Amino acid sequence: MGDASAVARESQDKDKRYDRQIRIWGKDGQRKLETANVCLLGAGPTGSEAMKNLVLGGVSSYTIVDGTKVTERDLGNNFLMDKSSLGQSKAECCSRLLQDFNESVSGRFVAETPEQLMDAKPDFFDGFDLVLATQLTSAYQHKLCDICRKSGARVVFGRSYGLFGLVRISASEHTVVESKPDNVLLHLRVKDPWPELAEYASNFDLESLDDMTYKHVPYVVLLIKLAEAWKLGHGGNLPQGRAEQRDFKAFVRSQQRRRRGEPEGVADEGENFREAVENAHYLWSPPGVPSEISRYFADPACEEITSASSHFWVCMAAVKDFVAERSGGALPLPGSIPDMTATTDLYLDLKRLYDSKAEEDCDWVFDRAIQILSRTPGADPSALGRDYVKGFCKNCAHVKVLRFPTVRQEQEGFLGGASQSSYLQSLLLSEDTAENAFVYLMLHAADRFRQTHGHFPGKFDDGVQEDVGGVKSIVSSALSEAGLPTIPVAEEYVQELCRCGAGEIHTVAAVVGGIVAEEAIKLLTEQFVPLSGTLVYNAIRSTTLRIGKF
Amino acid sequence: MSGTCSVSGAREACLGSRVLCVGAGGIGCELLKTLVLSGFSNITVIDMDTIEVSNLNRQFLFRRRHVGQSKAKVAREASLRINPKAKIVAHHANIKEDQFDVDFFKSFDCVLNGLDNLEARRHVNRMALAASVPLVESGTAGYRGQVTVHIKGETECFECQPKPIPKKYPVCTIRNTPDKPIHCIVWAKDLLFPRLFGGEAVGAEAEREDEGKNGGEDEGKDRSDIEVSERAEGQPAVEYGCVVLREVYGDAIARLAAVEDMWKDREPPTPLSSDVIAAGRAIVQGRARGGDDKVPTSASLALGLSDSHATWSAEQSAAVFLMAVEILLDGHADRVGKLGFDKEFPLSVDFVTAASNLRSHCYGIEPKSSFDVKGMAGNIIHAIATTNAIISGLIVLEAQKLLLRGLRQDDDGATLTPWTTFVQHNPTGGRLLQRIKPLPPNPKCYVCSKAQVVMEANTGLMTLGRLVDDVLRKALAFAEPTVTVGSTMHYECGDDLEEDERERYDALRKRSLGDLPGDPIGHGSLVQVEDFSQEMSVELLVCHREPREGEDPDFFEVKGEVKGQDGGRGGEDEPEGEGDSDSDDLCVVEEAVGEKRKGAGQEEPAKRQRAS
Ligand SMILES: [Zn+2]
């Protein structure tokens, strides 16, 4: 009893603490966050910023990897370090101070460099759901990418370099049910109403309604009824082509009643008729199966369900069957209707109709998904809950599958040679994207510079100008190898790069760390669509550019 | 080795500068940290709020042990730990106080806003204009945010674009014919809760009653005219709660349902059955009592309803209603009569959830969970650490550019151009950061361009009091308006008024505009409005007209209110007004918030029929 109430109190307490964010990603998203084990590589300003945001959000645990000690320089640059930290392990300090941010998160640290760990103990990364990799050079990005593809951890790379930043994600596959798009198409089924909806609409005797009710017949009903009426006079066909569609709209308008005493032609404007005209296009172009979803239907992951298939793909396969065998081309009904002009009762009637149809569709998909699992050797049908299927059906027009290229694939794709250069060339030639495409190239040049010189350009104050020349020659040879043009501000940018000496500026770290954490949260909560490609941040211009072919 | 660098010279510019940071909430915490780490060493921070548990998921300078303490002071101490050399002054105060006058603002090189309510943001805008100090404004909502830069005479001011207007609901919908959950929630929060435990309804979202019909004599009359018996001497609170349920949800609904005219086109509501009341009471009486005598903090928790995402049955709602009435009346007897709805006060959330759901039950409207009701009643805005962190970085970069502009006149301007930057919610859909060039000042802006404001009103009915309170203070955001027509001063305010002056103005407040002595206000009158605290003045051209059909007889329309310029963006996409966290005096306007449709928060305006 006492335990139960203590648990209830703790849960209430968490509800309170996380209230504002649960309003974004829901209880389910929060639960996923609270079971996530996250590893941070690099406890510098960018890494600390990123991890801070996740600790505040309430991940299950964090592990901080950093092999350096706190120096005087870190004090002014990292909010987690103070004077007493001098000389201590940066990973330890960072871990200790982050712990204070949220008592329900457990933290530990490893005082080794990420590079050492990757080289010596690649299995260290087993068991993490997510790795935040900050300030890694290209070579170690490749390495981590390979390690984590094997272990199954997702990686968010973040890098602040002077006034520039880079963020990218690596994961072999990420699926999203709740993609939360800005615009959702309505699934009204006015073109092909299912029997109950058709019957409901046909029961309306528009003629006999009093004027008030007439103005509050939901437009869904109007469209179904008027489409039937239209078909009678058009050989059983719905409006075809622009002209007929225009005529149909005029026909809808003509059905408005005249206000008593008003002359011919002055209609008693009913909002519901206006809405019917506005939504008439659902009669001739209803949202069918979006092309993206059709592609997923044809995906090998959908066609060959195995015991290793995720519930996402099992549901996809079941929905594919639903479309082919059950609905004649329509996706399962999401089960919500938009607000519309109607009396409360009529609105509630409609809502019930759509809701129960959605439940019915979901039942079918659920049964089919269970059948699929039952005939799949080694699969456990009992592990699939109806709630998941319901969520899938509700969102199935907007689900997403993301497969991220490896870091190596991406870099070879952009920098590998003339055959791949047309994409980057188009970026460098367009005024809009040239500067940030150049930044991307330049940061790679900085890594190449470090490989040959053993230090980042501009690291030593007296060698800055010399390093500027070095970077410029790397950049221009890379550009000319690939047959790419250079850009007018190249000089200014290379100067800026070298002036920074690979230092992390706090404003940039705050922005890059914030973006890294945001992408991490999207991955962990499996909501919203995470970033694909590499995001370049340019603090000089206050711009970002996403680079990548999708 | 140059470890820390920036736009060249930025660090030096920061070192010698003085910045004012208004707000120490979600954006404020991030901002202070980023400021002290970027070399700003002379910072003043102002915030009137104290720390709440629900701040801790993002306001990272605060810990659980700080709950209840001043945000400004705790934020100062925490920032000093990050950079002990910084000089930080903290004021636990309202930015609108007299001590923060134009001279105060003039003592800064730059003002940075991380505010959560529109009223304060408009005030700071005026103060910054009056003091000719550049202002960096910001706001976030969920994954989205924006930073704007306002330089007097060069870029538009914060008020050059129209701001979203808080949502209001027609009174008859709230009182008689609700058809959406929000209508019942507004009724429970603004009418029933104050009737039983308040206090005047604060921030009432129900549109003003058509008071003033009688010449505005009953100004300030109690709007919550819900008929309820008073509690009898010695009557147990739960018994009294049952009386309230019977009267408000039984008798009153039955009376309303009997008004046939009202239900010609809709189902009349069903009075709450006595079975539900009895069942609710049985739940309350049968509950397991804890061993301690402490007053429960939550009625729902005391009844074992711990899942805030679940919706209660009608019986459970009745039980929570009775339980909340008991705890509030008996456990908080000293505060009854002064209580207002507070989203951080669980009992008021419990009560409003139960009371609104019972009403929804009568009207056949779907019930809502207490989590949802809390969000809708408290106008809660989504808030996360990540967006605030990104925004703070952008604010400081803009601030550094502003400071460098002062030092480097010779610059070609390219790198120091101020930008309005939007943080988008979905980087895949476009760009994570979207920047646009700030627009020049809007010549139609009455705040920064001294444009004339046109007000349409019924001058025979509108009182001077309504002009001052609703038009000048609320709609035009004046703090201390002075009203002059021709040579006659009709109204002044401030602490330094003589007693007899105050009495005279109080008497004038009750008179209609057309009936003011000396120079009455009528069609074509030019009214000079001045505010010495904001160093602002406006010329108000009055147009008299009779109300249109169906319009509030005491309507007013402020027409000179800035409209978007041609080609302007009209501010349609800004997560405006929600600074860093939510606020009680702010209604989110739906268009402003990206994730609103998925979240529990706001709803679309109902299109369903209302009999009124
Ligand atoms: Zn303006």
Side-chain angles (χ1 to χ4, degrees):
Chain A
M1 181 71 202
D3 274 2
S5 74
V7 169
R9 199 162 308 132
E10 196 194 317
S11 133
Q12 284 242 330
D13 196 60
K14 280 192 172 174
D15 280 356
K16 223 174 182 178
R17 173 187 273 260
Y18 301 131
D19 184 278
R20 299 305 181 268
Q21 65 196 45
I22 290 175
R23 288 175 199 280
I24 303 176
W25 50 68
K27 237 188 142 125
D28 192 49
Q30 184 62 32
R31 191 181 46 74
K32 287 178 181 151
L33 214 53
E34 285 178 36
T35 53
N37 298 305
V38 182
C39 174
L40 168 70
L41 305 184
T46 308
S48 305
E49 275 288 336
M51 200 63 229
K52 171 208 78 182
N53 296 332
L54 292 186
V55 171
L56 290 169
V59 292
S60 170
S61 76
Y62 60 83
T63 302
I64 294 171
V65 180
D66 194 304
T68 60
K69 301 248 188 287
V70 179
T71 65
E72 196 74 48
R73 209 182 108 202
D74 296 312
L75 299 186
N77 204 17
N78 191 322
F79 65 97
L80 290 173
M81 316 290 164
D82 59 25
K83 256 215 144 65
S84 65
S85 323
L86 274 180
Q88 293 182 25
S89 149
K90 212 186 267 180
E92 184 181 357
C93 286
C94 184
S95 171
R96 192 177 58 234
L97 286 150
L98 278 176
Q99 185 69 71
D100 195 32
F101 282 30
N102 191 340
E103 56 270 34
S104 49
V105 180
S106 66
R108 46 189 202 107
F109 68 92
V110 176
E112 286 180 58
T113 69
E115 290 82 2
Q116 282 167 350
L117 264 186
M118 278 182 252
D119 289 338
K121 298 178 224 162
D123 56 355
F124 169 83
F125 295 93
D126 296 353
F128 289 113
D129 300 291
L130 185 84
V131 179
L132 305 181
T134 65
Q135 306 305 92
L136 288 184
T137 56
S138 305
Y140 277 96
Q141 286 185 19
H142 292 169
K143 191 149 198 171
L144 184 68
C145 189
D146 293 342
I147 292 172
C148 289
R149 295 246 162 173
K150 283 195 201 96
S151 79
R154 282 134 196 203
V155 188
V156 185
F157 295 98
R159 190 157 184 201
S160 308
Y161 197 120
L163 287 166
F164 310 109
L166 293 176
V167 178
R168 64 138 28 240
I169 292 172
S170 171
S172 38
E173 181 181 284
H174 178 70
T175 54
V176 189
V177 174
E178 291 179 71
S179 64
K180 311 206 174 190
D182 285 330
N183 300 304
V184 249
L185 285 168
L186 302 176
H187 292 256
L188 298 172
R189 301 284 295 274
V190 285
K191 186 188 179 198
D192 53 340
W194 64 96
E196 290 83 359
L197 179 62
E199 195 196 325
Y200 180 76
S202 73
N203 285 341
F204 274 80
D205 181 8
L206 293 179
E207 302 281 292
S208 69
L209 298 176
D210 62 72
D211 285 356
M212 245 355 240
T213 316
Y214 196 75
K215 278 168 43 173
H216 290 90
V217 176
Y219 74 79
V220 169
V221 173
L222 289 177
L223 284 176
I224 294 172
K225 282 203 80 92
L226 297 177
E228 285 307 312
W230 171 275
K231 282 197 218 162
L232 285 179
H234 293 82
N237 292 318
L238 283 168
Q240 289 163 331
R242 281 269 166 90
E244 279 196 18
Q245 289 165 2
R246 220 173 14 243
D247 290 349
F248 179 79
K249 290 181 180 175
F251 170 58
V252 173
R253 282 191 206 99
S254 73
Q255 296 300 303
Q256 298 178 83
R257 285 185 188 165
R258 278 194 301 281
R259 202 178 289 168
R260 246 165 275 148
E262 295 282 358
E264 187 84 19
V266 179
D268 187 7
E269 288 275 311
E271 262 307 283
N272 54 338
F273 280 89
R274 201 186 51 74
E275 290 169 3
V277 170
E278 217 167 69
N279 291 289
H281 62 93
Y282 283 112
L283 276 176
W284 42 86
S285 52
V289 177
S291 59
E292 197 167 18
I293 304 298
S294 301
R295 269 207 310 281
Y296 298 156
F297 284 166
D299 196 289
C302 180
E303 297 196 318
E304 296 147 37
I305 298 297
T306 68
S307 60
S309 295
S310 65
H311 287 163
F312 179 93
W313 286 112
V314 173
C315 286
M316 187 69 83
V319 167
K320 182 184 178 187
D321 290 354
F322 177 88
V323 172
E325 298 171 26
R326 168 84 175 174
S327 73
L331 289 172
L333 209 61
S336 51
I337 52 170
D339 197 15
M340 60 185 77
T341 303
T343 62
T344 303
D345 295 335
L346 293 179
Y347 184 80
L348 291 177
D349 283 348
L350 268 188
K351 190 168 178 314
R352 264 192 296 274
L353 269 173
Y354 279 84
D355 282 348
S356 71
K357 175 65 176 157
E359 288 301 323
E360 195 187 306
D361 288 357
C362 172
D363 284 337
W364 197 97
V365 173
F366 182 51
D367 286 349
R368 176 54 56 99
I370 295 292
Q371 281 170 28
I372 293 172
L373 285 171
S374 304
R375 65 171 184 248
T376 305
D380 175 13
S382 68
L384 178 65
R386 191 178 180 282
D387 282 354
Y388 181 84
V389 179
K390 176 84 191 147
F392 192 92
C393 289
K394 205 173 154 55
N395 294 290
C396 68
H398 306 284
V399 298
K400 289 262 180 245
V401 178
L402 288 108
R403 294 184 176 121
F404 302 89
T406 62
V407 177
R408 197 186 310 270
Q409 282 165 343
E410 179 200 289
Q411 290 177 0
E412 282 171 359
F414 299 149
L415 309 165
S419 64
Q420 297 289 335
S421 65
S422 64
Y423 172 69
L424 208 54
Q425 181 160 28
S426 68
L427 293 179
L428 285 166
L429 286 173
S430 158
E431 201 188 330
D432 212 22
T433 52
E435 291 188 19
N436 289 337
F438 184 80
V439 168
Y440 178 85
L441 277 174
M442 188 176 68
L443 293 181
H444 281 292
D447 281 347
R448 297 243 294 262
F449 182 99
R450 184 168 179 263
Q451 271 174 4
T452 46
H453 294 74
H455 65 86
F456 280 110
K459 176 149 188 179
F460 306 102
D461 283 342
D462 51 2
V464 171
Q465 283 319 310
E466 201 184 314
D467 291 354
V468 167
V471 173
K472 270 177 12 197
S473 79
I474 296 176
V475 173
S476 44
S477 71
L479 286 172
S480 66
E481 260 171 48
L484 295 168
T486 187
I487 63 156
V489 296
E491 173 76 28
E492 184 196 328
Y493 275 29
V494 174
Q495 289 279 356
E496 185 59 51
L497 179 95
C498 295
R499 196 156 53 213
C500 289
E504 289 174 75
I505 297 170
H506 195 79
T507 43
V508 176
V511 173
V512 172
I515 297 172
V516 165
E518 198 155 296
E519 294 309 317
I521 288 169
K522 288 179 188 169
L523 289 171
L524 293 172
T525 57
E526 298 174 5
Q527 292 177 17
F528 296 94
V529 185
L531 171 80
S532 38
T534 292
L535 188 88
V536 177
Y537 170 56
N538 177 345
I540 297 177
R541 296 284 186 263
S542 202
T543 51
T544 52
L545 174 68
R546 191 169 57 113
I547 294 185
K549 284 192 271 189
F550 322 99
Chain B
M1 190 172 64
S2 50
T4 49
C5 71
S6 169
V7 178
S8 54
R11 216 176 163 87
E12 293 66 47
C14 301
L15 270 174
S17 70
R18 295 195 48 171
V19 294
L20 173 62
C21 209
V22 193
I27 293 175
C29 281
E30 294 285 343
L31 184 55
L32 282 169
K33 172 252 318 169
T34 308
L35 283 172
V36 295
L37 288 174
S38 301
F40 285 84
S41 54
N42 202 333
I43 303 166
T44 298
V45 56
I46 303 178
D47 198 307
M48 65 188 291
D49 285 342
T50 54
I51 296 158
E52 311 258 6
V53 175
S54 61
N55 300 149
L56 301 178
N57 82 322
R58 60 197 186 284
Q59 301 179 14
F60 77 101
L61 297 177
F62 312 142
R63 304 285 175 271
R64 192 170 287 277
R65 59 182 177 273
H66 297 131
V67 169
Q69 297 182 36
S70 153
K71 283 189 180 179
K73 302 217 153 124
V74 175
R76 171 183 177 270
E77 284 155 25
S79 307
L80 282 175
R81 271 197 302 281
I82 298 171
N83 183 359
K85 286 182 215 132
K87 182 171 164 283
I88 304 174
V89 178
H91 295 278
H92 180 203
N94 186 340
I95 187 65
K96 292 181 85 174
E97 283 173 21
D98 288 346
Q99 56 170 317
F100 309 121
D101 57 10
V102 174
D103 284 338
F104 172 82
F105 275 82
K106 276 186 180 152
S107 67
F108 298 98
D109 298 300
C110 184
V111 180
L112 312 176
N113 262 2
L115 273 166
D116 61 2
N117 76 82
L118 195 55
E119 192 190 321
R121 299 169 86 181
R122 291 174 78 177
H123 179 77
V124 172
N125 179 47
R126 291 159 192 214
M127 300 307 284
L129 282 168
S132 298
V133 180
L135 167 68
V136 185
E137 248 292 337
S138 65
T140 65
Y143 284 120
R144 313 201 313 166
Q146 100 277 339
V147 175
T148 54
V149 182
H150 307 282
I151 306 166
K152 188 177 182 176
E154 186 177 332
T155 68
E156 60 177 9
C157 82
F158 177 68
E159 294 173 272
C160 275
Q161 304 286 342
K163 296 296 158 218
I165 296 147
K167 182 145 191 67
K168 300 273 183 192
Y169 300 94
V171 172
C172 64
T173 306
I174 301 300
R175 295 207 166 175
N176 303 328
T177 54
D179 58 18
K180 303 209 87 181
I182 185 68
H183 301 147
C184 297
I185 293 167
V186 169
W187 174 87
K189 175 187 119 178
D190 286 349
L191 300 180
L192 188 60
F193 188 88
R195 173 66 186 80
L196 296 177
F197 313 109
E200 214 185 309
V202 185
E205 281 167 78
E207 222 169 55
R208 56 187 299 280
E209 178 68 271
D210 28 5
E211 70 193 34
K213 260 178 197 156
N214 320 317
E217 276 156 39
D218 49 6
E219 193 181 353
K221 80 170 181 184
D222 185 8
R223 281 179 202 169
S224 56
D225 58 352
I226 294 173
E227 287 175 38
V228 180
S229 307
E230 294 305 319
R231 185 180 176 188
E233 236 353 83
Q235 185 180 31
V238 172
E239 295 310 314
Y240 176 63
C242 289
V243 170
V244 176
L245 285 177
R246 272 196 297 277
E247 291 182 351
V248 175
Y249 295 89
D251 306 346
I253 298 271
R255 274 200 305 279
L256 205 59
V259 183
E260 277 177 30
D261 268 9
M262 208 176 262
W263 315 109
K264 271 195 299 213
D265 309 303
R266 51 187 299 146
E267 281 291 301
T270 321
L272 190 67
S273 87
S274 51
D275 294 350
V276 171
I277 302 176
R281 182 190 194 165
I283 295 172
V284 171
Q285 284 163 349
R287 77 181 198 276
R289 281 165 199 276
D292 47 18
D293 297 338
K294 273 206 300 214
V295 177
T297 52
S298 151
S300 50
L301 203 57
L303 292 169
L305 300 166
S306 57
D307 183 359
S308 63
H309 296 266
T311 48
W312 305 328
S313 66
E315 290 77 11
Q316 287 172 327
S317 286
V320 174
F321 185 100
L322 295 172
M323 189 79 204
V325 167
E326 183 182 63
I327 303 171
L328 283 165
L329 290 183
D330 292 350
H332 297 270
D334 50 328
R335 295 168 66 194
V336 170
K338 298 182 287 249
L339 281 170
F341 174 81
D342 175 357
K343 62 184 180 301
E344 303 298 344
F345 182 37
L347 282 167
S348 66
V349 174
D350 278 339
F351 178 85
V352 169
T353 305
S356 61
N357 279 338
L358 286 170
R359 188 167 171 84
S360 294
H361 178 74
C362 296
Y363 281 88
I365 300 168
E366 64 190 292
K368 288 274 167 189
S369 68
S370 70
F371 179 82
D372 288 348
V373 171
K374 180 177 167 182
M376 291 159 87
N379 288 309
I380 290 178
I381 293 132
H382 313 152
I384 42 175
T386 51
T387 318
N388 289 337
I390 296 170
I391 287 291
S392 81
L394 298 176
I395 295 173
V396 175
L397 282 162
E398 290 302 329
Q400 287 174 334
K401 287 194 287 187
L402 285 173
L403 297 169
L404 280 171
R405 278 161 61 103
L407 298 178
R408 285 215 312 249
Q409 304 294 347
D410 55 319
D411 191 88
D412 63 1
T415 44
L416 299 182
T417 311
W419 290 105
T420 291
T421 316
F422 295 92
V423 176
Q424 307 286 352
H425 115 250
N426 203 341
T428 321
R431 296 176 176 199
L432 183 80
L433 298 185
Q434 182 110 43
R435 64 163 200 187
I436 54 171
K437 236 188 157 57
L439 294 170
N442 182 350
K444 290 182 181 147
C445 177
Y446 67 90
V447 179
C448 66
S449 297
K450 303 276 172 251
Q452 195 177 53
V453 178
V454 180
M455 179 190 75
E456 289 185 4
N458 184 347
T459 53
L461 201 50
M462 177 181 268
T463 57
L464 180 65
R466 176 150 158 84
L467 175 74
V468 169
D469 295 342
D470 293 348
V471 181
L472 301 182
R473 285 187 206 269
K474 268 193 204 137
L476 300 179
F478 282 98
E480 296 177 2
T482 296
V483 179
T484 314
V485 180
S487 56
T488 313
M489 167 143 352
H490 287 308
Y491 189 77
E492 271 184 291
C493 56
D495 298 332
D496 48 353
L497 285 181
E498 298 293 332
E499 192 54 39
D500 60 324
E501 285 178 307
R502 196 183 301 276
E503 277 168 19
R504 191 171 78 85
Y505 290 131
D506 282 348
L508 287 175
R509 281 177 60 92
K510 300 202 174 80
R511 298 176 76 153
S512 71
L513 300 184
D515 191 29
L516 290 169
D519 287 289
I521 300 174
H523 188 68
S525 292
L526 276 177
V527 180
Q528 301 297 331
V529 184
E530 272 182 284
D531 187 318
F532 298 106
S533 72
Q534 297 177 342
E535 290 196 2
M536 189 173 133
S537 65
V538 157
E539 192 174 66
L540 190 72
L541 174 64
V542 178
C543 295
H544 168 85
R545 69 168 171 85
E546 297 297 324
R548 301 195 178 98
E549 198 189 323
E551 201 174 25
D552 181 347
D554 198 7
F555 72 97
F556 71 84
E557 248 178 275
V558 180
K559 291 217 160 164
E561 250 186 316
V562 282
K563 299 284 185 289
Q565 285 163 290
D566 290 343
R569 73 202 126 83
E572 71 284 342
D573 237 15
E574 295 171 52
E576 202 62 75
E578 36 297 353
D580 51 347
S581 60
D582 36 83
S583 82
D584 296 320
D585 58 353
L586 175 90
C587 299
V588 192
V589 168
E590 285 133 54
E591 285 69 36
V593 183
E595 290 81 31
K596 84 225 176 203
R597 285 177 194 89
K598 286 86 199 177
Q602 326 297 323
E603 292 185 35
E604 296 293 309
K607 289 183 182 169
R608 283 184 290 297
Q609 177 189 355
R610 291 175 198 114
S612 55

